[in-house]
C-alpha cells in the first residue's frame, strides 16, 4: 500500500488503522522510491508492518517495471537507476516481487531477467483502474522455467480522493506466530496462498501426487500445469467445499486455483511434486 510518503492520501498511521479495522494482521508499506523501515518510525501502529519500497522505472533495455521489495531496503535512494536499486535490494536479502506485469505490459522475458522471488498474480488497483490486474499468464510462463516462483495478490491501495478505497487482494500466510520474522520465513518458503475472495481451509498432498483441499464454497476448481495441461471440476449445481486432484506423473509443476460464484479467485503456490 501507499501513503503520503509517496503518492498515497493517508499517512502511515491512518493507512495502518484502515486495515487493522478490517481484520488484517499485517501489511507491507511500499511507497514509490521511498523506503519504509519500521524500526525508524517512532510511533505505535495497530498492525504489523513489513519494511518495503516500490521501485519503478525502465532498465537499460527499455523495459518498464514496478518491483516490490520487502525487507532489506536500507540504502536505496531515489537517484539510483532501477537496475542499481534492484541489485542493492538483492544484495541485502530483500524479497523481490514482480508487480502487476500485465499492467506494465511486461513480457515473460522481462520477468526472467532479474530472478524475482514472486509475481503479482492479481493487483486490485490495476484491475479496477485499467482492467489489467490479472497476471496468471506471466506466472505460469515463469513456472515452466522456475518452479519456485510464488504468486501474490495485493491491493496496491493509494486511498485517492474521489476513488473508493477497496480491499480486494491479499495473502493468507501460514505462520506459527504474528511476528515479522515468522511471516517472512513462511513467505520465503511459499507457505501461503493468495486470494481476492475464496479461502483455502486446508491444502495438502497425500501419496506423493494427490492434492486434497478444503475450501470455502466454490463453483470451479482448476489444477493448472505446464502448457496445455490442466484439470477442471465444477459441480452440476450449487457449490463444493472438498476438492481433490491427482497430479499426472509427467507434469513438472501444478498449482490449484478456485473460483466462487462471484467470479472471485484464490491461488495456491506451486505444489511440490513427489514422483511415486
Amino acid at each position: 500500500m501507499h501513503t503520503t510518503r509517496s503518492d498515497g492520501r493517508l499517512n502511515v498511521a491512518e493507512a495502518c488503522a484502515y486495515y487493522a479495522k478490517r481484520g488484517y494482521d499485517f501489511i507491507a508499506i511500499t511507497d514509490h522510491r521511498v523506503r519504509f523501515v519500521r524500526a525508524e518510525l517512532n510511533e505505535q501502529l495497530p498492525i504489523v508492518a513489513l519494511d518495503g519500497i516500490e521501485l519503478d522505472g525502465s532498465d537499460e533495455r527499455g523495459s518498464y517495471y514496478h518491483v516490490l521489495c520487502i525487507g532489506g531496503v536500507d540504502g536505496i535512494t531515489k537517484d539510483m537507476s532501477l537496475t542499481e536499486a534492484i541489485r542493492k535490494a538483492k544484495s541485502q536479502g530483500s524479497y523481490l516481487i514482480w508487480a502487476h506485469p500485465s499492467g506494465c505490459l511486461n513480457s515473460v522475458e522481462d520477468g526472467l531477467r532479474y530472478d524475482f522471488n514472486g509475481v503479482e498474480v492479481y493487483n486490485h488497483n490495476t484491475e479496477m483502474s485499467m482492467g489489467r490486474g490479472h497476471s496468471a499468464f506471466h506466472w505460469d510462463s515463469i513456472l515452466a522455467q522456475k518452479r519456485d516462483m510464488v504468486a501474490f495478490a495485493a491491493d496496491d491501495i493509494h486511498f485517492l480522493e474521489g476513488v473508493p478505497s477497496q480491499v480486494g487482494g491479499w495473502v493468507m500466510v501460514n505462520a506459527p506466530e504474528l511476528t515479522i520474522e515468522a511471516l517472512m520465513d513462511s513467505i520465503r518458503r511459499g507457505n501461503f496462498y493468495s486470494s481476492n475472495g475464496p479461502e483455502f481451509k486446508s491444502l495438502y498432498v497425500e501419496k506423493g501426487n494427490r492434492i486434497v483441499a478444503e475450501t470455502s464454497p466454490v463453483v470451479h476448481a482448476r489444477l493448472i500445469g505446464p502448457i496445455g495441461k490442466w484439470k477442471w471440476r465444477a459441480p452440476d449445481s450449487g457449490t463444493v467445499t472438498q476438492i481433490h486432484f491427482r497430479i499426472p506423473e509427467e507434469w513438472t509443476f501444478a498449482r490449484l486455483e478456485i473460483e466462487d460464484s462471484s467470479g472471485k479467485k484464490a491461488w495456491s503456490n506451486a505444489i511440490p511434486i513427489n514422483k511415486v
Side-chain angles (χ1 to χ4, degrees):
M1 70 179 192
H2 301 274
T3 73
T4 51
R5 293 156 57 93
S6 63
D7 58 346
R9 187 170 59 87
L10 300 186
N11 62 35
V12 170
E14 292 169 334
C16 288
Y18 178 89
Y19 279 92
K21 288 178 181 177
R22 285 157 177 78
Y24 276 62
D25 296 306
F26 74 98
I27 48 84
I29 298 175
T30 54
D31 281 308
H32 287 280
R33 290 284 181 167
V34 179
R35 63 189 186 89
F36 172 80
V37 179
R38 178 66 184 90
E40 295 178 357
L41 189 68
N42 189 26
E43 64 178 294
Q44 293 293 319
L45 295 177
I47 194 171
V48 173
L50 305 182
D51 295 355
I53 193 171
E54 182 167 359
L55 308 177
D56 54 77
S58 299
D59 67 3
E60 292 80 357
R61 301 190 190 185
S63 297
Y64 180 72
Y65 293 86
H66 281 203
V67 180
L68 302 173
C69 306
I70 310 299
V73 297
D74 291 341
I76 297 176
T77 60
K78 289 184 177 181
D79 60 344
M80 287 181 170
S81 70
L82 176 73
T83 304
E84 288 175 327
I86 288 175
R87 287 173 179 165
K88 179 68 173 178
K90 288 175 71 74
S91 72
Q92 300 176 136
S94 183
Y95 199 83
L96 269 60
I97 302 167
W98 185 20
H100 38 278
S102 293
C104 292
L105 299 180
N106 289 139
S107 68
V108 174
E109 180 186 1
D110 292 336
L112 291 167
R113 192 171 301 157
Y114 294 102
D115 192 28
F116 296 122
N117 301 107
V119 60
E120 280 184 349
V121 68
Y122 178 75
N123 181 291
H124 193 60
N125 176 57
T126 304
E127 181 64 18
M128 294 298 101
S129 61
M130 65 179 76
R132 294 207 300 261
H134 290 269
S135 297
F137 164 78
H138 294 80
W139 183 29
D140 287 336
S141 298
I142 298 291
L143 281 174
Q145 305 175 63
K146 178 180 164 59
R147 280 175 281 178
D148 61 349
M149 174 72 87
V150 296
F152 292 82
D155 273 348
D156 193 9
I157 198 169
H158 293 68
F159 309 100
L160 297 178
E161 192 75 44
V163 178
S165 295
Q166 297 181 3
V167 173
W170 57 87
V171 295
M172 190 74 79
V173 180
N174 184 13
E177 59 185 10
L178 186 57
T179 64
I180 291 175
E181 294 75 20
L183 289 167
M184 288 306 304
D185 179 64
S186 290
I187 289 171
R188 290 181 184 280
R189 290 188 291 112
N191 196 0
F192 66 93
Y193 70 87
S194 295
S195 180
N196 65 5
E199 298 179 12
F200 285 106
K201 306 291 187 180
S202 66
L203 176 62
Y204 61 94
V205 178
E206 65 179 16
K207 299 181 180 178
N209 66 350
R210 187 173 185 267
I211 296 174
V212 181
E214 180 182 354
T215 70
S216 57
V218 298
V219 296
H220 297 286
R222 305 177 183 94
L223 187 68
I224 310 297
I227 184 169
K229 307 294 184 182
W230 51 270
K231 292 186 175 186
W232 171 57
R233 288 193 180 139
D236 294 331
S237 63
T239 59
V240 296
T241 58
Q242 302 287 334
I243 297 165
H244 61 86
F245 286 102
R246 186 188 68 80
I247 304 173
E249 185 176 349
E250 68 274 14
W251 286 24
T252 55
F253 75 86
R255 64 174 181 85
L256 188 58
E257 177 180 293
I258 55 177
E259 182 177 335
D260 66 18
S261 59
S262 299
K264 302 293 187 180
K265 297 180 180 180
W267 303 264
S268 80
N269 284 313
I271 299 162
I273 300 175
N274 298 317
K275 305 298 184 182
V276 294

